[in-house]
């Protein structure tokens, strides 16, 4: 056999072998991951320490700075729309708006990347329910990453799902809840991810959350989407809206006021 013929025969054998291995791999049955349940990604200890936040007076309420985009100033939901399309149908009254659980999530019409977000939320004084079923809402960065909103005043839940958690990922550093009936303030600083060509993070998203003047998240890396069941998912995206969650828990709905954002 000459050298050329030997090389081509060797290549043919190698190629055929690769096809056989490939076919075998396709036929072979591998174990599949076990089906995940919600409780598999929830943990309850250690509970964050309880910190009594400073008090506020009406005169000291923080109004929007001059370069902020006003998302809600007490008048209407013109900056918002239904997350599934159509207008935002939550109820505006007395300078605030209240979640309407029948009409679904709402989101900003404008989409954002890096920002400082201020929003205030209030749990009804007569709130009932326990754990996740008490004043559950949430604010989603770019529509994908939830910072939890929940009434955790004398109400324990899994710590990676309590107020100020990056939901099912990172518990807050403290519990700085005000009593039901009092207004809670979130100041959130968010940096959007930068993606590689293959859709994974070159730079992951990060978030800092200050709740009533107390730091709950300190430049926390977000691992991916905040899933109720299963692991965070990484998927490529661009700018996205701020989404407010209409959660199906049976408790009395919470309200929001004074929402503004500064792009960074
Ligand atoms: Mg929520």
């Amino acid at each position: 056999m000459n050298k050329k013929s030997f090389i081509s025969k060797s290549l043919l054998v190698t190629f055929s072998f690769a096809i056989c291995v490939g076919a075998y791999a396709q036929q072979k049955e591998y174990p599949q991951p076990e089906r995940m349940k919600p409780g598999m990604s929830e943990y309850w200890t250690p509970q964050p320490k309880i910190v009594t936040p400073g008090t506020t007076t009406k005169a000291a309420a923080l109004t929007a700075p001059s370069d902020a985009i006003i998302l809600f100033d007490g008048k209407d939901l013109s900056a918002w729309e239904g997350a599934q399309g159509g207008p935002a149908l939550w109820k505006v009254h007395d300078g605030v708006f209240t979640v309407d659980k029948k009409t679904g999530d709402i989101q900003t019409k404008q989409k954002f990347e890096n920002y400082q977000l201020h929003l205030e939320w209030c749990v009804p004084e007569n709130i009932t329910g326990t754990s996740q079923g008490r004043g559950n809402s949430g604010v989603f960065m770019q529509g994908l990453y939830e910072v939890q909103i929940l009434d955790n005043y004398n109400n324990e839940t899994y710590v990676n799902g309590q107020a100020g958690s990056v939901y099912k990922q990172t518990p807050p550093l403290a519990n700085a809840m005000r009593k039901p009936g009092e207004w809670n303030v979130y100041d959130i600083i968010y940096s959007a991810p930068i993606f590689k060509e293959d859709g994974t993070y070159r730079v992951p998203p990060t978030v800092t959350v200050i709740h009533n003047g107390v730091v709950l998240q300190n430049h926390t890396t977000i691992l991916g989407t905040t899933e109720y069941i299963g692991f965070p998912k990484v998927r490529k995206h661009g700018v996205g809206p701020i989404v407010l969650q209409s959660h199906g828990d049976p408790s009395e709905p919470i309200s929001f006021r004074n929402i503004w954002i500064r792009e960074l």
Side-chain angles (χ1 to χ4, degrees):
M1 196 187 302
N2 64 30
K3 195 177 170 187
K4 214 171 179 182
S5 158
F6 175 75
I7 290 172
S8 56
K9 274 200 171 162
S10 302
L11 280 173
L12 189 66
V13 168
T14 309
F15 186 58
S16 309
F17 178 71
I19 288 175
C20 289
V21 168
Y24 176 70
Q26 272 182 358
Q27 284 166 8
K28 192 176 171 189
E29 292 225 340
Y30 288 97
Q32 295 300 306
E34 282 183 41
R35 194 191 172 99
M36 289 205 68
K37 296 181 188 148
M40 291 175 173
S41 53
E42 298 164 5
Y43 61 102
W44 288 67
T45 57
Q47 288 280 331
K49 66 180 173 184
I50 293 171
V51 175
T52 305
T55 54
T56 184
T57 62
K58 203 166 185 188
L62 187 61
T63 56
S66 61
D67 64 348
I69 298 165
I70 307 297
L71 297 176
F72 180 71
D73 64 359
K75 295 191 189 83
D76 58 49
L77 288 172
S78 56
W80 300 79
E81 61 189 5
Q84 304 302 321
L89 296 172
W90 294 7
K91 200 169 158 209
V92 179
H93 59 99
D94 310 314
V96 310
F97 66 86
T98 299
V99 178
D100 180 345
K101 299 191 186 193
K102 295 188 297 293
T103 61
D105 298 353
I106 66 169
Q107 65 184 29
T108 54
K109 291 176 182 169
Q110 191 169 341
K111 294 181 167 65
F112 301 99
E113 196 163 26
N114 306 302
Y115 51 79
Q116 171 191 351
L117 172 68
H118 176 96
L119 80 163
E120 302 179 17
W121 50 280
C122 183
V123 173
E125 201 174 349
N126 60 349
I127 190 90
T128 56
T130 58
S131 188
Q132 295 284 302
R134 181 158 139 179
N136 197 330
S137 182
V139 52
F140 287 75
M141 312 302 118
Q142 300 195 295
L144 294 170
Y145 311 117
E146 181 181 9
V147 171
Q148 177 69 302
I149 291 175
L150 189 69
D151 176 24
N152 286 116
Y153 190 85
N154 290 333
N155 175 38
E156 289 187 345
T157 189
Y158 47 91
V159 293
N160 56 343
Q162 79 172 59
S165 62
V166 177
Y167 184 68
K168 292 274 183 107
Q169 293 183 23
T170 309
L173 293 168
N175 177 341
M177 285 294 306
R178 292 202 169 112
K179 287 183 188 139
E182 296 179 9
W183 284 90
N184 285 277
V185 180
Y186 270 179
D187 286 290
I188 296 174
I189 300 152
Y190 172 74
S191 293
I194 298 168
F195 289 91
K196 296 183 196 168
E197 281 285 306
D198 67 3
T200 58
Y201 294 139
R202 181 178 306 286
V203 180
T206 58
V207 70
T208 293
V209 179
I210 301 170
H211 183 194
N212 299 328
V214 178
V215 174
L216 303 193
Q217 300 289 344
N218 181 11
H219 197 64
T220 300
T221 297
I222 298 173
L223 305 172
T225 55
T226 47
E227 304 288 332
Y228 174 49
I229 297 173
F231 301 113
K233 295 184 175 65
V234 176
R235 67 167 187 264
K236 203 171 184 178
H237 62 84
V239 293
I242 310 293
V243 175
L244 296 179
Q245 186 183 45
S246 161
H247 192 279
D249 84 66
S251 67
E252 298 73 10
I254 75 165
S255 298
F256 293 87
R257 73 175 184 188
N258 191 20
I259 308 178
W260 49 262
I261 192 167
R262 293 182 62 249
E263 292 181 289
L264 301 174

